[in-house]
Amino acid sequence: MSSNRRRTGPNGSDWRNALFIAPYLFFFLTLLVFPLFWGIWLSFHKADTFSSGAFVGFNNYVRLFNDHVFLQSIWNTFYFVFLTVPALAIIGLTLALALNSSSRLATVLRSLYFSSSVLSVTIVTLIWRIVFVPQFGLLSTIYGWFGAEAPAVLADPDLAMIGIALTTIWWCIGLPMMLFLAALQQIPGDIYEAAALDNAGWWRTLISITLPSIRRTFVLVLIIQIVLQFQLFGQSWLLTRGGPNNLTKPIVLYIYDIAFRRWDVGLGAAASEVLFALILVAAMTQYLISRRQEER
Amino acid sequence: MTAEIDIRNVSKRFGSLTVLEDLSLKIPAHEFVVFLGPSGCGKSTLLRMIAGLESIDIGEIFINGEPIGHLPPGQRGVAMVFQSYALYPHMTVRQNMAFGLQNISVSSKVIAERVANAARMLEIGHLLDRKPGQLSGGQRQRVAIGRAVVKEPNAFLFDEPLSNLDAALRARTRVELAQLHQRLKSTMIFVTHDQMEAMTLADRIVVMNNKKIEQIGSPMDIYDRPATRFVAGFVGTPQMNFLNVTALATEPSGVRVECGALAVVAPFDAAAVGRATMLGIRAESVSVVRDGEGDIGATIDVLERLGDRSLVHARLADGQSVVANEAGQTRLKVGERIGLRFAGDKAHLFDADGVAFHVREAVS
C-alpha cells in the first residue's frame, strides 16, 4: 500500500466514505434541520406569506402569552393529553393481555381493534358525528332505550373535549395494542412456567413478571402517544371547529388559525416553537422518570 | 425433604401425535434418576408432566403416595431447573431466589436465611445483588439451582440444565450436581440427551426412545448389558460396532456366531440361536493386532488420536466398518493392513426387533 493511501486512514477518514450517508444527510438537513431553524428564525420576525418581514425580537412570544385564546389552547391540549394518553396505554395493554393468544377469535378481534387505525381522520370524525348527533345518533338511541335524553356532547362545554378524546381513543387504540402485543410475545414462556412453579397466581404474575418485562414498551407507548396527542388537530377541527367558545381548540388548531387564516406567520411560528418545547419537555420527563425507576 | 415418585400408566398426546404411551416408572426417595434419550423421545414431556407444566392425558403420577395430577405446579412440592435457566430478568439474584418463598408467605427472616445458606453452598453470595443479565452462563446456572434449593422441595427436576454451558464448565457443574445430591439427599430427576452426563450422575438411568422406556438400570448395567439394540447404540462413545450375523450354531463351548469371515464363540444365551441377526461389540473389546493375527483382517480407514488412546476405524473385506480401541499413542497409519481380535465374551447379540441376548453371567 502506498504511503499516500495509508495517510487517508484504514477505516473511514477518507472523504469518499461520506458519500454513503450523503443522500440521507441531504434530506435530513433540508427537510428537518433547516425548517426547524427557519421556524425559530421566523418566530422572531413579523412575517406573513409574502415576506419574512422585520425582526421583532421576543415580541411574538409576548403577544402569544398575552393572548387568552392561546393560553386556553395550551390548557385544552394538556387536558386532551391527560384524557387520552393514560387511557390509550391502559386500554391498549388490557386488550393486548386479553388477546395475546393464538386462538382464531383472538386473531379476528386483534384485526378488528386495529382496523380503526387505518381509517382517515375524516372518516373517523364522520362516524363519531353520527354517534353524537342529537335525536337520531347512536348515543341518543341508547339513551332513548332508557327513556332519557342524550346530551349534545359536542356542543356541551364540559363534554365536548371528552367526546373528542373518546373519538381519538377509538381511532388510535390499534397502535398501542399492537406494540404491547409484540412486547408480550417477546417474553419467554419458560419465565411463566418458572413463576407457576414458584406459586405465583395470575395477579402476582401480571404485577411481578409481565409488567416489568414490558416496561420499556410501556414507556415507548407513552412517549409516542404524548407526541401524537399533543398534535391534536383534525378531530377538533372536524368535530367542533374548536368550539364551544374555544374550549376544544388545541395548540395546533390555534397555529392553523393564526398562520393560515390570519396570515400572521411569525406569531404562528412562535406558537409552534412553544408546542415543540412542550412536547419535548413532556416526552423527556416521561423518559427520564421511567429510566430512573428502571435503574432503582 | 425427599419424595418417592410413582408414574403409573401415563400417556400423553399433542393433537394426533402420541408423545408417551402407557409408561410406568417408580422412583424411590433419595434417588438420582436420569431420563436419557434422543430429542423428541418424550423425556422432557414426562418431566414437565411431573412438574405440572403439561397435563396427564391418561394415567396418574403419585408423589409420596398422593396423586398430583390435579395439583397446580406450585403445589406439587417440586422445583425445576430449566435448560434456559428461566431467571426473572428484572429481578436481582436475591429477588429471584426469594420470589417463590414470598408467594407462599414465608417470613422474610426465613427467606433471608435460606437465600444466604443456598448462596453460600453454591458460592454465589457475591452475586446476590446483581441481575441475571450481569451474570455469566455458569453463574446463571448456579442461581437457577439456588432458586430451586431455597424452596427445599421434595424433588428436584432438571431439564437439560447443562446444555448451554461450555464443555469445561459442564464437566465441573456435573461434579457439583453430584455433590449437591450427596449433600441434600433429595430425589432428583435429570433429563438429558448426553449419555456422559447420565453415566456420571445417575443412580439409575431410564433410557427412553420413541414414546417408551427402553431400559431402566444402573449406569454400568445399561452400558454392559443393554436391553435393546437402541440402548446399545445410544449409550457409549464411540458407538457400539454392529455386524450382520450370517450363521449361528450351538457348540460345546457356547454359541458360534459368524459374521461373514469373522467367527466368534462365546457362552451366549442359547435363546439367541435362530433369532439373532446382529452382533454388537464395543470398541474397547476389539483390539488391534498384527496383520495375519487375530480373528479377522482389516484395512485402516481413519485414525482418531485422542491422546491417551486412539480409535482405529477399520474396514473388513466385506465392506463392514469396525472401530477398535488402541491404548496409548498409536504408530499405525491410514491404509495399513491390521488384524482385529474380538473379545467374544463382551459381545452382544440382537434379534430383528432389537432385543438383546448377552453372554451368560458366570455363576460364582
Side-chain angles (χ1 to χ4, degrees), chain A residues 190-191 193-200 204 208-209 212-213 294 296, chain B residues 48 74 80 82 84 86 88-91 99-100 102-104 147 151:
Chain A
D190 54 11
I191 289 186
E193 292 180 345
L197 280 155
D198 270 345
N199 257 307
R204 178 89 161 125
S208 301
I209 308 292
S213 300
E294 206 164 300
R296 224 178 273 158
Chain B
R48 292 167 59 81
M80 186 157 165
F82 293 82
S84 60
Y88 310 121
H90 52 280
M91 294 187 197
F99 186 66
Q102 287 164 348
N103 292 337
I104 50 169
R147 186 171 65 177
K151 286 200 265 184

Side-chain angles (χ1 to χ4, degrees), chain B residues 14 23 69 128 132 144 158 163 166 179 194 237 245 254 275 299-300:
Chain B
F14 291 115
L23 194 141
L128 285 175
F158 296 94
S163 53
D166 62 54
Q179 288 168 341
D194 183 329
T237 307
V245 171
R275 289 180 60 186
T299 310
I300 299 174

Side-chain angles (χ1 to χ4, degrees), chain B residues 329-348:
Chain B
Q329 293 180 0
T330 183
R331 290 184 178 178
L332 297 169
K333 290 192 183 97
V334 173
E336 194 177 331
R337 287 286 304 167
I338 51 169
L340 295 175
R341 177 162 291 142
F342 286 69
D345 57 338
K346 302 276 187 190
H348 313 272

Side-chain angles (χ1 to χ4, degrees), chain B residues 78-152:
Chain B
V78 297
M80 186 157 165
V81 177
F82 293 82
Q83 181 176 1
S84 60
Y85 318 132
L87 298 175
Y88 310 121
H90 52 280
M91 294 187 197
T92 62
V93 168
R94 192 191 306 279
Q95 289 166 336
N96 261 283
M97 289 165 79
F99 186 66
L101 298 175
Q102 287 164 348
N103 292 337
I104 50 169
S105 307
V106 176
S107 74
S108 47
K109 189 176 161 230
V110 175
I111 293 176
E113 226 166 75
R114 287 203 206 169
V115 169
N117 286 342
R120 199 177 315 119
M121 182 167 72
L122 295 160
E123 295 170 24
I124 52 171
H126 60 295
L127 306 174
L128 285 175
D129 294 318
R130 292 200 202 160
K131 288 189 176 172
Q134 299 166 299
L135 306 179
S136 69
Q139 289 170 332
R140 280 181 216 184
Q141 224 275 343
R142 281 158 184 270
V143 174
I145 294 173
R147 186 171 65 177
V149 168
V150 292
K151 286 200 265 184
E152 297 182 355

Side-chain angles (χ1 to χ4, degrees), chain B residues 23-28 31-38 41 43 46 174 188-209 212-227 230-232 234-236 282:
Chain B
L23 194 141
S24 294
L25 170 69
K26 210 167 195 171
I27 302 168
E31 194 171 55
F32 198 130
V33 169
V34 174
F35 293 171
L36 175 68
C41 72
K43 57 189 188 301
L46 182 58
R174 231 168 30 215
M188 293 188 174
I189 305 177
F190 187 103
V191 162
T192 183
H193 60 264
D194 183 329
Q195 43 114 359
M196 174 92 84
E197 282 170 17
M199 296 290 288
T200 51
L201 285 171
D203 293 327
R204 274 197 311 161
I205 297 177
V206 178
V207 185
M208 295 177 67
N209 182 39
K212 326 188 275 288
I213 293 174
E214 292 266 341
Q215 186 175 3
I216 305 172
S218 71
M220 289 326 291
D221 246 4
I222 301 271
Y223 189 78
D224 287 338
R225 299 182 78 77
F230 171 81
V231 176
F234 192 76
V235 176
R282 296 203 183 277

